Amino acid sequence: MSTAQEAARGDDPYIIGVGRRSHAGLPRFEHAERTLASKRVISAYGFWIFLLSDIIMFSAFFAAYAVLSGQTAGGPSGKDLFDITRVALQTACLLLSSFACGVASIGARARNDAMYYGGMTATALLGAAFLLLEIREFSGLIAQGAGPTRSAFLSSFFALVGCHGLHVTLGLLWLLTMMAQVFAKGYRADIMRRVLCFALFWHTLDIIWVGIFTVVYLMGLAR
Amino acid sequence: MFGKLTWAAVPLDQPIPLVAGCVAFGIVGGIAVYVVLKGWAPYLWREWITSVDHKHIGVMYIFLAMVMLLRGFTDAIMMRSQQALAFRAPGYLPPEHYDQIFSAHGTLMILFVAMPFMIGLINIVVPLQLGVRDVAFPTLNSVSFWLTATGALLINLSLVIGEFARTGWLPYPPLSELDYSPGVGVDYYLWSLQISGVGTLLTGVNFVTTILKIRAPGMTYMRMPIFCWTALASSLLIVAAFPILTATLAMLLLDRYLGFHFFTNEAGGNPMMFMNLIWAWGHPEVYILVLPAFGVFSEVVSTLSRKPLFGYRSMVAATMAICVLAFMVWLHHFFTMGAGANVNAFFAITTMIIAVPAGVKVFNWLFTMYGGRIRYAPPMLWSIGFLVTFVIGGMTGVLLSVPPADFVLHNSLFLVAHFHNVIIGGVLFGAFAGYTFWFPKAFGFRLEESLGRAAFWCWFLGFYLAFMPLYVLGFMGMTRRMQHYDVPEWHPWLLLAAAGAAVILAGIGLQIAQLVVSFRHREQLRDTTGDPWNGRSLEWSTSSPPPAFNFAVLPRIEGGDAYWETKQRALRQLVLADEPAYADIELPRNSATGFVCAFFATFLGFALIWHIWWLAAVSFLGAFATFVAFAWRDRTDYRVSADEVARIDRENRSARRAALAQLGATE
């Protein structure tokens, strides 16, 4: 036990720059409440961190689009291809679906079945409408020979917008799962946390769409 | 039906990978059969495979890292021996095989040795140091581990089915595009990294949340041990950098699978964009690896010098400065690719600046040792070896950061020597320091010390013998990745380097021997008190190995070096603090989600590599169904009763009381 004996000789004389000690008898616990968060806060916070990482992934696709948007390889540019009416319609669908998702969240918190299922159904329908419009846009482009293999510009366009579309698709899958879960299990605390995370996810897709709408479509048409 | 997969995929004409692969899978299969025959399978399933306990997951990470280290080191030995033999001769490895070996070596060592080793240490230690019972998302933690294991499995599968990439550890286009790499090698690389990258990202999310949101009462940020700070910085870098890797590899996949033009030569593609994107991940990745190692050294140097860490606040500041600066230096990996003098100058300066916080850390460790009572146990030896080696590696790095010098040394063996200097000397020595330091905490018995010392000296000397010649060869103009050469001046240095690799091999042998000997003598080496090093942070306040709930009662923290104060009080008065009031503890139940999910992910990856689309769809649905099944369960926790908690804690307390009594008797 030589190590313990040496330690027993008393306090270290070298205490420099280590976090400040409590005053005798007056423990500094002012931050103590904040160090152990509730499960709801932990879930939502962790999911936000994940969403931030997702946004960083999109930012890489945005960067690639910014680099390649002029590389049309003699093919069509955004100005020749984009249909502003359809994009406006898509934007309306997605923003309204976010509103519906907010209604569903309030419904879940109020344990109001009509509000929750109604809101979720509206979210799903609007999301599906958005996807349908996107699929029609993509298939139209491919049909007129402006598919992703045509040029680097179109590659980056399809990847960026398609990645968002893929997120919406997975979001729909999650949405239906959450409706089924609440139907089967009720508004249990752990399921409510998932509803919260789903809402965060859906709203984040809106934020990203605002970026796509601006950088890809508006700036592409103004070019 | 089976996409591109035919019997021709089995490389019957290449005996080396085939035999090596068959032996490796034979050993793994043999162990599996042995485990089942011995009746250990249920134990393994219950306590390890489905465990969501951060300590068990950490141990599995480190086990994976060590197995992959053997594989990666085998590649290293093959490269060194090939270059020793290939002077005016073809050697024994044909070029297409040699290219696969250096690609696999880099990929494995960085992503499946260094990463899991560090993540394993973080898993075992951080929740204990924070004084809490688990990480934020325990089941997700298990998913992360098993996805990493999937990536490792897929890479090793390429030994016997198909081939691995020949494009280096970062698959630069246009070489990695379908036109120039039509085989499945690059696809193996891409899907392994995509799958394990998801696991790593989730680990990052998990630990950011854990460290920022779950700490014992009173554990304020400036009271956290430095290892927690470095784990936080590393996790933040994972969250910020790995999505870039995912996006970049996805673009290359789109190029290869669907004919996109991100990085192609034709149709406006831009290969240089790949360099920028991949290094925007790749450089932070270096710090993801080395920051936790810095944390390990901080803990080891302080504990084994019996002093608090010198300059705690400056250590925190340096860690976070590196965390930010890590994203501002990536272009120094391709100074020669024509970004222009001004851009090069900017990145040269940021690169030199990042040496400053690293230097602050070095001086802090030195001043921590100064005036301390240093115990030269293996963890301390690794730390001192690191200090010497890392300073050399850092200085050659600063040399390379000068663009004119870089133009001369780019892609030479000088560069290879530099990054092995910092990654072996920094990350791997850190991993071994942490392994020997926390082994008693994880398993309840210490590692035998004399073999540990011998292993250290073999590694240390072997490293210098193997890599210092590469600096010389770099100056002599030898480029990296050469399968054969005809310059007589190079040959003696390459023989020397091969001898160095053999000495390192002896070090690895001694480490295995140390593990075996320690296990056989575990009763003599038993750590009864839970505090074998006279530790300072909270992980030493609980028993070794800790109970599933880590702490019977959450500790209340009143200062830095949280456990030191408590221990001093007990040592002064020769009594333990009063027995606390025990309460029931809720713990997360085991879950097979991670394992089942990784099972499907393995098939998903394999199916995508070989274009077996129906299998990919089935596997994806399987993984989704696994998650839904997990989400459907009703009981997520189990309860440890207060009586049981009291029984377990009293054992720990009586061991400590006995140690105190012994101490009182000797005084």
Side-chain angles (χ1 to χ4, degrees):
Chain A
M1 287 312 291
S2 65
T3 59
Q5 268 171 346
E6 273 161 354
R9 283 180 202 163
D11 277 356
D12 265 293
Y14 298 104
I15 293 176
I16 305 168
V18 178
R20 267 200 291 160
R21 254 133 239 289
S22 315
H23 300 292
L26 281 174
R28 283 154 48 88
F29 280 146
E30 63 265 47
H31 300 303
E33 289 73 21
R34 258 181 281 159
T35 57
L36 262 173
S38 71
K39 272 191 171 178
R40 184 181 143 85
V41 168
I42 291 169
S43 302
Y45 188 88
F47 197 72
W48 247 124
I49 301 284
F50 169 76
L51 288 176
L52 285 178
S53 80
D54 215 28
I55 287 173
I56 292 172
M57 189 185 75
F58 271 107
S59 73
F61 281 108
F62 270 110
Y65 179 80
V67 169
L68 299 176
S69 60
Q71 303 297 323
T72 54
S77 71
K79 207 176 174 127
D80 311 322
L81 297 172
F82 299 152
D83 175 0
I84 193 72
T85 327
R86 176 164 39 215
V87 179
L89 211 57
Q90 276 183 293
T91 310
C93 281
L94 209 59
L95 292 183
L96 282 175
S97 83
S98 235
F99 176 74
C101 181
V103 171
S105 296
I106 295 171
R109 198 178 289 185
R111 307 285 191 271
N112 183 330
D113 277 350
M115 232 172 141
Y116 174 72
Y117 292 111
M120 287 296 248
T121 310
T123 311
L125 290 177
L126 286 162
F130 170 89
L131 267 184
L132 199 69
L133 286 166
E134 188 159 275
I135 290 167
R136 284 186 55 176
E137 178 188 24
F138 279 14
S139 55
L141 287 175
I142 293 167
Q144 69 186 87
T149 54
R150 175 66 189 84
S151 68
F153 152 67
L154 282 163
S155 294
S156 62
F157 166 80
F158 272 88
L160 172 60
V161 181
C163 186
H164 178 267
L166 194 66
H167 274 72
V168 175
T169 313
L170 292 176
L172 284 178
L173 200 61
W174 190 3
L175 185 154
L176 296 175
T177 314
M178 285 327 297
M179 284 177 81
Q181 268 216 308
V182 173
F183 181 75
K185 308 265 175 188
Y187 300 99
R188 223 165 56 184
D190 56 338
I191 291 167
M192 290 293 281
R193 291 199 292 274
R194 285 179 208 140
V195 172
L196 175 66
C197 289
F198 167 74
L200 286 173
F201 181 76
W202 199 258
H203 296 313
T204 304
L205 295 186
D206 251 18
I207 297 172
I208 289 164
W209 179 256
V210 170
I212 291 176
F213 176 70
T214 314
V215 172
V216 176
Y217 291 105
L218 288 187
M219 286 167 72
L221 282 166
R223 195 178 278 266
Chain B
M1 182 69 179
F2 291 111
K4 287 159 72 175
L5 184 61
T6 59
W7 283 111
V10 181
L12 292 169
D13 53 330
Q14 290 176 20
I16 296 173
L18 193 65
V19 171
C22 288
V23 168
F25 282 100
I27 291 172
V28 171
I31 292 173
V33 169
Y34 182 74
V35 162
V36 171
L37 288 181
K38 276 275 187 178
W40 294 340
Y43 163 78
L44 212 60
W45 176 261
R46 197 178 58 241
E47 291 293 320
W48 297 94
I49 292 172
T50 63
S51 174
V52 296
D53 183 329
H54 66 95
K55 303 177 285 292
H56 289 196
I57 291 172
V59 168
M60 290 193 289
Y61 262 117
I62 291 176
F63 180 72
L64 174 72
M66 287 179 155
V67 173
M68 289 300 116
L69 177 69
L70 293 180
R71 159 84 211 272
F73 188 74
T74 311
D75 291 337
I77 287 273
M78 290 171 88
M79 285 188 286
R80 283 283 130 257
S81 51
Q82 165 71 16
Q83 286 198 329
L85 294 171
F87 170 57
R88 288 183 185 152
Y92 67 103
L93 295 172
E96 70 276 7
H97 187 197
Y98 185 75
D99 292 356
Q100 291 181 44
I101 286 176
F102 69 65
S103 306
H105 171 77
T107 313
L108 282 166
M109 287 298 201
I110 295 286
L111 291 149
F112 297 102
V113 177
M115 283 298 281
F117 218 129
M118 286 302 152
I119 290 176
L121 289 176
I122 290 174
N123 258 296
I124 295 174
V125 177
V126 164
L128 288 168
Q129 284 195 335
L130 293 174
V132 294
R133 301 220 158 98
D134 213 326
V135 296
F137 308 108
T139 309
L140 196 68
N141 205 11
S142 160
V143 174
S144 297
F145 167 73
W146 285 108
L147 289 181
T148 307
T150 293
L153 177 63
L154 281 176
I155 284 195
N156 285 290
L157 212 55
S158 73
L159 274 176
V160 278
I161 307 175
E163 52 162 10
F164 193 64
R166 302 165 191 179
T167 44
W169 84 282
L170 293 180
Y172 277 11
L175 178 62
S176 57
E177 293 284 359
L178 204 56
D179 290 346
Y180 307 103
S181 296
V184 291
V186 177
D187 301 325
Y188 262 114
Y189 172 94
L190 290 170
W191 288 113
S192 306
L193 261 65
Q194 288 293 51
I195 291 171
S196 66
V198 172
T200 308
L201 174 69
L202 295 178
T203 298
V205 170
N206 213 337
F207 276 93
V208 169
T209 315
T210 305
I211 298 172
L212 294 184
K213 287 291 165 199
I214 310 179
R215 302 189 303 279
M219 180 63 86
T220 56
Y221 290 126
M222 293 314 278
R223 290 170 178 172
M224 290 197 305
I226 283 290
F227 186 69
C228 294
W229 270 107
T230 55
L232 173 65
S234 184
S235 307
L236 285 170
L237 284 173
I238 288 176
V239 171
F242 267 77
I244 309 178
L245 177 72
T246 305
T248 311
L249 298 185
M251 290 175 205
L252 188 54
L253 282 168
L254 287 170
D255 277 7
R256 286 180 64 85
Y257 278 71
L258 297 173
F260 281 40
H261 290 290
F262 278 105
F263 310 123
T264 54
N265 289 331
E266 314 80 41
N270 190 340
M272 274 308 296
M273 193 171 69
F274 182 88
M275 316 313 165
N276 276 294
L277 284 170
I278 201 83
W279 283 111
W281 160 78
H283 200 86
E285 164 70 9
V286 176
Y287 291 99
I288 292 170
L289 297 175
V290 87
L291 281 174
F294 288 169
V296 173
F297 295 126
S298 303
E299 303 295 327
V300 168
V301 167
S302 152
T303 305
L304 293 185
S305 303
R306 275 163 234 168
K307 278 178 66 188
L309 190 68
F310 181 91
Y312 172 89
R313 275 156 203 269
S314 65
M315 211 62 140
V316 173
T319 304
M320 297 321 279
I322 290 175
C323 184
V324 174
L325 286 170
F327 277 102
M328 301 170 72
V329 298
W330 79 89
L331 193 129
H332 70 212
H333 294 274
F334 43 96
F335 276 148
T336 57
M337 293 198 195
N342 291 338
V343 174
N344 278 0
F346 175 83
F347 283 94
I349 291 166
T350 53
T351 306
M352 291 174 203
I353 289 174
I354 207 166
V356 175
V360 168
K361 283 171 170 275
V362 168
F363 280 109
N364 280 343
W365 290 314
L366 291 176
F367 286 131
T368 307
M369 284 158 64
Y370 177 74
R373 288 190 297 275
I374 301 172
R375 185 176 155 198
Y376 291 100
M380 194 65 189
L381 289 179
W382 290 111
S383 304
I384 295 172
F386 150 79
L387 274 171
V388 177
T389 312
F390 193 75
V391 167
I392 297 171
M395 285 193 295
T396 57
V398 174
L399 197 153
L400 280 169
S401 79
V402 181
D406 184 79
F407 270 70
V408 180
L409 297 167
H410 184 85
N411 258 356
S412 74
L413 282 188
F414 187 91
L415 169 81
V416 174
H418 159 69
F419 68 67
H420 282 88
N421 202 163
V422 283
I423 288 180
I424 295 180
V427 181
L428 206 59
F429 282 18
F432 292 150
Y435 159 70
T436 47
F437 188 59
W438 282 305
F439 187 91
K441 182 49 63 186
F443 289 102
F445 59 95
R446 283 170 288 127
L447 283 170
E448 208 279 324
E449 281 202 10
S450 56
L451 282 169
R453 283 202 193 88
F456 163 76
W457 285 110
C458 282
W459 264 98
F460 186 73
L461 297 175
F463 165 77
Y464 279 90
L465 212 51
F467 290 100
M468 293 301 128
L470 302 198
Y471 279 123
V472 179
L473 285 163
F475 281 128
M476 291 163 87
M478 182 171 179
T479 53
R480 68 199 292 201
R481 297 169 175 168
M482 292 183 100
Q483 188 260 345
H484 65 99
Y485 56 95
D486 52 9
V487 182
E489 289 80 12
W490 295 351
H491 195 213
W493 295 102
L494 286 163
L495 291 174
L496 205 58
V503 177
I504 294 179
L505 177 65
I508 292 179
L510 285 165
Q511 283 177 308
I512 295 171
Q514 180 196 33
L515 201 56
V516 173
V517 168
S518 308
F519 181 73
R520 295 181 74 169
H521 297 167
R522 59 189 180 283
E523 287 313 321
Q524 291 100 297
L525 294 165
R526 183 71 59 195
D527 168 27
T528 48
T529 60
D531 184 17
W533 305 108
N534 193 12
R536 318 181 71 85
S537 42
L538 286 172
E539 75 266 34
W540 308 111
S541 73
T542 183
S543 59
S544 296
F549 45 80
N550 291 351
F551 300 97
V553 173
L554 286 194
R556 294 183 82 82
I557 288 89
E558 297 173 30
D561 281 355
Y563 179 48
W564 190 253
E565 275 302 293
T566 320
K567 189 161 59 175
Q568 294 314 312
R569 204 178 303 130
L571 286 169
R572 273 196 299 276
Q573 302 163 356
L574 291 173
V575 286
L576 291 183
D578 294 336
E579 187 172 282
Y582 298 109
D584 289 3
I585 294 174
E586 279 199 341
L587 288 172
R589 282 174 66 206
N590 280 4
S591 169
T593 308
F595 186 76
V596 177
C597 191
F599 173 83
F600 287 117
T602 307
F603 279 99
L604 179 63
F606 188 80
L608 288 167
I609 289 163
W610 291 100
H611 297 218
I612 312 171
W613 307 121
W614 62 268
L615 183 60
V618 170
S619 311
F620 176 78
L621 285 177
F624 176 70
T626 311
F627 273 111
V628 173
F630 169 70
W632 231 264
R633 54 182 205 167
D634 288 321
R635 280 178 50 237
T636 55
D637 297 312
Y638 72 96
R639 193 172 271 269
V640 185
S641 73
D643 292 341
E644 178 70 4
V645 175
R647 189 187 64 74
I648 292 170
D649 197 44
R650 278 178 194 136
E651 275 173 28
N652 179 29
R653 288 173 62 87
S654 73
R656 276 167 202 254
R657 200 175 298 119
L660 271 179
Q662 201 184 353
L663 188 65
T666 53
E667 272 189 353

